Amino acid sequence: MKLKTSLNKQISAVKITGALLCALFMGNSVYAQEEQKLTAADSTAFKTVISALSIPGQLAPGTRQLVLPKPASGYTLSLYGSSRKTVIDVKGKVYEPLTDCEVELVLRLRNTENNRAYEFQQTVKVPGKYRPQTGENAQPFVIPTLREWKGGSGHFKLLANSRIIVDPKAKKLLTPAAEILLKDLKQLTGYKTLNIGAGKAKAGDIVLHINAAEQNLGEEGYTLNIDQTIQINAPYYKGAFWATRTILQLLEQDPAHNQIVKGVTHDYPKYEVRGFVLDVGRKFFTLDFLKHYVKMMAYYKMGDFHIHLNDNGFKQFFGDDWSKTYSAFRLESTTYPALTSKDGYYTKADFKELQKTAQLYGIRIIPEIDVPAHALAFTKVFPEIGSKAYGMDHLDISNPKTYDVIDNVFKEYIGGKDPVFVGAEVHIGTDEYAKKEAESFRAFTDHYIRYVKGFGKRVRLWGALTHAQGTTPVTADDVTMNAWYNGYAEPKEMVRLGYDQISTPDGWLYIVPAAGYYYDFLNVKRLYNSWEPNQIGNVVFPMGHPKIRGGMFAVWNDHVGNGITMKDVHQRTFPAMQVLAEKMWTGKTNQSNWDNFTQNATHVGEGPGLNMRAIVPAVGADSLVYQDRLVRKQARSIALPLYEIGYPYSVAFTLQAPTASVDSVTLFKSDNANVYLLKQDGLKLGFSRENYTDVFDFNFEAGKAYKIVITGNEKGTWIYVDGKLVQKMEGKKISFTNTKDKMNRMQTLVFPLKQVGDTNKGGYGLVSDLKVYNKRLNESAIAGL
């Protein structure tokens, strides 16, 4: 490229060269995106026009408006998208960043005669307000990375009596954020005298403002000025709340939890949608789990929590019998009470409260009712609306009663003055239906788009219209697709049709725990280095393309009853949450470095008061986290300072097998799990969590003492007796008589340590000399015990 100066426009410009022009017209190129299919003549004409354009490549200091060149007669050139609308918005207005940055623009060249258009990308360098200086504080680490930073000198210090002050002009709006921040700060720091105050800020105070003049920061953007005080400014609530999460992460990484480097940041997301899909239809997750996830996702500014509320298992694992195949609909239904799942559901009041709480944490709950496939929960209640041709997990979309039932289901949750679904967007499913019924499927999809929009909601759905090609029109206006597989919905085609896209590619972002396909754990290094939401499968859109709203990753619990617990799902989700928060807020920058990220990320947890992974830090270098001889007189059970310990761990203890006959007696207990002795063809050790029980195949002799070590990780649980490995609970598979398919049966345990012994049976006396390690000990170490 050759730069030239245009004094009258006060910009530097770059003329598109032949090499770049070639790149612009490459298929699936990062640089270009067709709005509609072009003929050879169209392509030649666009090449000619683009080659003559001088596109802005670098702005001069003080530039406040981007000026695009005028193309040849018969064409118009417009700004269509921007990767940093906070710096250059879609009207071309320029806002000065703190430091130099690059903005990737999407430009649209249109032929005014045939209305065909071509979109291509141009990077523009925008000078910042400040130049780097020696001695200033380096940009601190948070997840996701701050978008702009200007370092100061020295540190802000939070004091035991620091205050959170809300600007009186925004008191009503920002008080919930201040109250949440206060609670979180107390949990993180242990400072009990922190408070919400008023008046002039003093050193150590945190001040929240709404600043309408900073509209360019958008709904989620904010500024932090960290000096003797911390000043938060944002044009909207969500941005101000995200600023509090940044403060908490910075404090968490300080050993004393009270110090932050001084500086100024402008922070805002690269993508609007940054989310997570959780399948609660095939595995129930408690309301407490969902609440914890709202808080954890907010800690990482992951703003969309998509809850997949109904689904069913695979019938080959249930004797090829639909009536026996597991299915669930997880909401209380008063319209059709039999629809509500018996083994776990959310009341309307609880689900509504979850959504309202989530809004205070900056999170949108996206509820999904999935039809017309994945619909066995509905056909079990109404067998007459099940498909005889394609299976009872398919609704019969030619049956008028199907529409009556599903209309009523949606109406129950989106109708009325105070609907159960609180937020602006509702997901209607529409995926993986029989291809032969494409026209009927398209009509069904269009009906529910229009039906849900008729209640004032925006619609999301799964991309399926390439799979279900046809002539029946399907509404695209203000409809967002989760683009999960390009064979079902080709992304460029969907954009041409007018659908917004959420990048959810299965080959990158699908976790199916222990299933043997997709991912058990996401390849987070590959994601960090090679993916952003503008990539959907093998299609790459220009950065800043306005039809790409963002991205989501997903957990699908396809294999019902496979031993996976909520703890196991979280173990898989957490590392992906950290990486994808980075990729969807900040994206790839010149400072992106996988080794640095992973090293620093270990110092950022789940958020104040959260420890779902049950991480316990070691006291010393040998990974010992706790030891106790457990000698207590007159105690029927013993409360421990620990609650539980997560993967990996080793728990060593002496077991005194009882002499008296017992049916079962608890040895270790938490609210999530039990480890106990039971009579089962002898005296054996077993454990239970959620609805799963596993028993070690080793008989203990009555009255005899044993040295026990139980070790566990995300793959399984092992037991050593008197220094010898006697059983690995790992790699178990379940076979079925009617199919060659097998199911992995996980035998994992987050070890319970809230209580030793049985309150009723006094099992504390059976356990002594307890030692807990936060690693899996090797055999020589175990023998040494």
Side-chain angles (χ1 to χ4, degrees):
M1 298 183 192
K2 185 177 179 181
L3 293 176
K4 64 178 182 179
T5 303
S6 175
L7 295 176
N8 61 326
K9 296 180 180 178
Q10 287 296 296
I11 60 174
S12 295
V14 59
K15 191 168 184 177
I16 294 180
T17 66
L20 178 57
L21 184 63
C22 180
L24 288 174
F25 283 86
M26 289 173 60
N28 294 338
S29 168
V30 69
Y31 299 103
Q33 168 67 36
E34 298 177 35
E35 186 184 58
Q36 54 184 295
K37 292 187 181 298
L38 304 177
T39 66
D42 291 327
S43 297
T44 299
F46 277 120
K47 287 179 183 180
T48 301
V49 175
I50 291 175
S51 65
L53 293 175
S54 293
I55 307 294
Q58 182 169 328
L59 303 187
T63 301
R64 292 293 174 261
Q65 181 67 43
L66 177 71
V67 179
L68 295 178
K70 187 175 181 179
S73 177
Y75 291 86
T76 60
L77 181 66
S78 60
L79 178 57
Y80 186 47
S82 169
S83 67
R84 287 185 188 243
K85 291 190 284 290
T86 52
V87 177
I88 301 178
D89 68 19
V90 292
K91 294 182 180 180
K93 189 172 181 179
V94 180
Y95 302 87
E96 188 176 42
L98 289 175
T99 56
D100 297 353
C101 71
E102 292 186 345
V103 182
E104 292 161 297
L105 303 176
V106 183
L107 303 176
R108 173 181 275 180
L109 183 66
R110 181 179 296 279
N111 183 322
T112 57
E113 292 183 4
N114 61 20
N115 207 35
R116 291 179 180 170
Y118 201 82
E119 298 158 11
F120 61 97
Q121 190 166 321
Q122 175 65 39
T123 300
V124 176
K125 296 180 180 180
V126 183
K129 182 177 182 180
Y130 300 103
R131 308 261 67 79
Q133 296 179 0
T134 58
E136 66 184 14
N137 291 323
Q139 180 167 324
F141 179 85
V142 292
I143 303 174
T145 300
L146 301 172
R147 301 299 301 279
E148 299 176 22
W149 171 261
K150 171 64 173 76
S153 178
H155 292 78
F156 162 88
K157 189 160 186 178
L158 186 77
L159 306 174
N161 62 348
S162 288
R163 301 171 301 163
I164 300 168
I165 298 174
V166 178
D167 185 336
K169 298 175 184 177
K171 187 174 182 180
K172 183 176 181 181
L173 178 64
L174 291 180
T175 293
E179 291 174 342
I180 293 170
L181 176 60
L182 178 64
K183 179 181 177 182
D184 289 342
L185 283 173
K186 286 182 175 181
Q187 286 185 309
L188 177 63
T189 65
Y191 291 165
K192 303 302 181 185
T193 54
L194 298 171
N195 64 93
I196 296 175
K200 187 176 180 180
K202 302 175 183 178
D205 289 347
I206 300 171
V207 188
L208 283 76
H209 305 270
I210 289 294
N211 188 346
E214 297 181 324
Q215 290 291 318
N216 65 300
L217 292 174
E219 183 185 8
E220 300 185 87
Y222 64 91
T223 68
L224 276 180
N225 191 326
I226 306 167
D227 204 303
Q228 294 299 103
T229 64
I230 296 179
Q231 301 286 330
I232 296 172
N233 278 277
Y236 299 99
Y237 176 91
K238 188 179 286 191
F241 188 82
W242 288 155
T244 69
R245 304 302 92 182
T246 296
I247 292 168
L248 289 166
Q249 279 200 24
L250 291 170
L251 288 170
E252 180 186 7
Q253 294 173 80
D254 176 59
H257 304 319
N258 64 8
Q259 195 166 264
I260 300 174
V261 295
K262 290 181 180 179
V264 179
T265 185
H266 291 181
D267 200 19
Y268 41 83
K270 189 171 185 178
Y271 299 93
E272 172 215 349
V273 173
R274 309 170 308 281
F276 170 58
V277 182
L278 182 62
D279 171 12
V280 305
R282 286 175 284 204
K283 173 174 176 54
F284 181 65
F285 291 79
T286 65
L287 191 66
D288 281 344
F289 183 95
L290 301 186
K291 289 178 179 178
H292 288 167
Y293 258 54
V294 163
K295 294 176 182 179
M296 183 186 73
M297 290 176 66
Y299 199 55
Y300 289 97
K301 305 183 182 78
M302 290 282 277
D304 279 35
F305 190 6
H306 174 157
I307 302 177
H308 182 79
L309 288 162
N310 66 279
D311 216 315
N312 48 264
F314 300 150
K315 74 170 183 172
Q316 69 263 34
F317 297 141
F318 296 89
D320 281 324
D321 187 339
W322 285 119
S323 68
K324 296 177 181 178
T325 300
Y326 183 86
S327 65
F329 180 82
R330 297 299 184 190
L331 288 176
E332 172 192 16
S333 175
T334 51
T335 301
Y336 301 122
L339 183 60
T340 302
S341 175
K342 304 299 187 292
D343 69 334
Y345 69 94
Y346 314 114
T347 68
K348 292 181 182 180
D350 282 345
F351 198 72
K352 190 183 298 184
E353 188 269 336
L354 172 70
Q355 295 166 85
K356 290 181 177 180
T357 299
Q359 288 178 338
L360 297 179
Y361 278 81
I363 302 294
R364 295 184 290 210
I365 300 288
I366 309 297
E368 178 190 356
I369 296 175
D370 197 2
V371 286
H374 304 275
L376 185 61
F378 301 105
T379 66
K380 280 186 175 179
V381 178
F382 298 98
E384 64 272 29
I385 69 172
S387 172
K388 306 303 184 289
Y390 305 113
M392 294 296 281
D393 62 338
H394 282 52
L395 298 177
D396 180 355
I397 55 180
S398 64
N399 185 343
K401 186 170 183 179
T402 297
Y403 284 85
D404 291 341
V405 170
I406 303 305
D407 282 2
N408 289 336
V409 169
F410 274 106
K411 185 178 180 179
E412 181 170 2
Y413 303 107
I414 61 178
K417 295 181 180 179
D418 186 22
V420 177
F421 292 169
V422 172
E425 294 187 79
V426 173
H427 204 291
I428 64 170
T430 66
D431 186 33
E432 296 188 299
Y433 199 82
K435 192 172 185 177
K436 291 181 180 179
E437 301 295 331
E439 298 296 353
S440 297
F441 172 82
R442 293 171 69 91
F444 181 94
T445 301
D446 186 66
H447 171 84
Y448 283 102
I449 291 172
R450 295 176 183 276
Y451 187 77
V452 171
K453 289 180 72 172
F455 289 88
K457 301 293 187 182
R458 297 177 64 190
V459 171
R460 294 190 189 182
L461 44 70
W462 293 104
L465 296 183
T466 300
H467 173 76
Q469 291 188 38
T471 58
T472 302
V474 181
T475 302
D477 182 43
D478 208 21
V479 175
T480 299
M481 280 185 174
N482 283 92
W484 69 278
Y485 175 54
N486 295 7
Y488 263 72
E490 201 288 315
K492 291 194 292 184
E493 178 189 358
M494 296 303 107
V495 166
R496 284 195 294 271
L497 292 173
Y499 296 98
D500 290 339
Q501 304 281 288
I502 297 173
S503 180
T504 322
D506 58 348
W508 290 81
L509 297 176
Y510 273 19
I511 298 171
V512 187
Y517 55 86
Y518 285 128
Y519 293 96
D520 195 20
F521 288 77
L522 293 185
N523 187 337
V524 289
K525 181 177 181 179
R526 178 178 176 234
L527 285 166
Y528 183 89
N529 288 325
S530 305
W531 182 83
E532 273 195 43
N534 69 310
Q535 181 175 339
I536 305 174
N538 64 348
V539 174
V540 182
F541 288 86
M543 291 289 186
H545 196 290
K547 301 301 284 185
I548 307 302
R549 291 184 66 186
M552 283 188 163
F553 75 109
V555 168
W556 300 107
N557 297 294
D558 291 7
H559 287 188
V560 177
N562 65 349
I564 288 287
T565 65
M566 291 184 287
K567 294 281 188 181
D568 291 323
V569 169
H570 179 60
Q571 187 75 12
R572 287 153 171 78
T573 300
F574 181 74
M577 191 75 68
Q578 287 190 315
V579 169
L580 290 167
E582 176 75 8
K583 299 301 292 185
M584 295 193 275
W585 178 280
T586 307
K588 187 176 180 62
T589 71
N590 292 333
Q591 288 72 45
S592 296
N593 180 284
W594 170 248
D595 291 334
N596 290 342
F597 180 86
T598 53
Q599 181 179 354
N600 289 319
T602 60
H603 303 296
V604 184
E606 301 168 16
L610 298 180
N611 188 16
M612 292 176 279
R613 292 174 298 154
I615 301 297
V616 183
V619 176
D622 61 355
S623 300
L624 180 69
V625 300
Y626 184 75
Q627 60 180 335
D628 193 330
R629 293 191 63 194
L630 298 174
V631 177
R632 312 282 200 279
K633 293 183 179 180
Q634 308 301 321
R636 298 195 64 79
S637 64
I638 299 169
L640 299 180
L642 302 179
Y643 181 74
E644 56 192 0
I645 188 166
Y647 316 129
Y649 66 82
S650 298
V651 177
F653 58 95
T654 298
L655 173 65
Q656 180 65 51
T659 54
S661 176
V662 295
D663 292 326
S664 68
V665 58
T666 295
L667 303 179
F668 299 93
K669 185 178 183 180
S670 73
D671 296 339
N672 297 316
N674 287 300
V675 175
Y676 52 90
L677 281 171
L678 74 161
K679 262 191 170 182
Q680 183 174 301
D681 298 325
L683 191 62
K684 295 181 178 178
L685 195 64
F687 58 90
S688 61
R689 63 273 183 249
E690 295 188 15
N691 296 316
Y692 302 111
T693 296
D694 289 282
V695 179
F696 291 110
D697 190 18
F698 181 89
N699 286 315
F700 296 96
E701 294 181 23
K704 186 176 177 180
Y706 297 86
K707 296 286 188 180
I708 306 295
V709 178
I710 297 175
T711 74
N713 64 13
E714 69 277 1
K715 295 180 180 179
T717 312
W718 299 6
I719 186 170
Y720 293 79
V721 179
D722 293 333
K724 296 181 179 180
L725 177 63
V726 298
Q727 188 175 357
K728 295 180 180 181
M729 282 193 176
E730 185 178 322
K732 181 178 180 180
K733 293 185 180 293
I734 304 173
S735 298
F736 301 87
T737 58
N738 57 290
T739 178
K740 293 180 180 179
D741 294 341
K742 294 184 178 182
M743 184 186 294
N744 294 315
R745 170 58 163 81
M746 300 301 289
Q747 296 173 288
T748 48
L749 172 69
V750 170
F751 201 94
L753 289 166
K754 181 180 180 181
Q755 174 183 310
V756 174
D758 192 315
T759 304
N760 297 320
K761 299 178 183 178
Y764 73 94
L766 304 179
V767 175
S768 61
D769 297 323
L770 174 67
K771 291 184 178 180
V772 181
Y773 300 84
N774 65 1
K775 73 175 183 180
R776 203 164 198 178
L777 298 176
N778 59 37
E779 294 196 356
S780 62
I782 290 171
L785 293 176

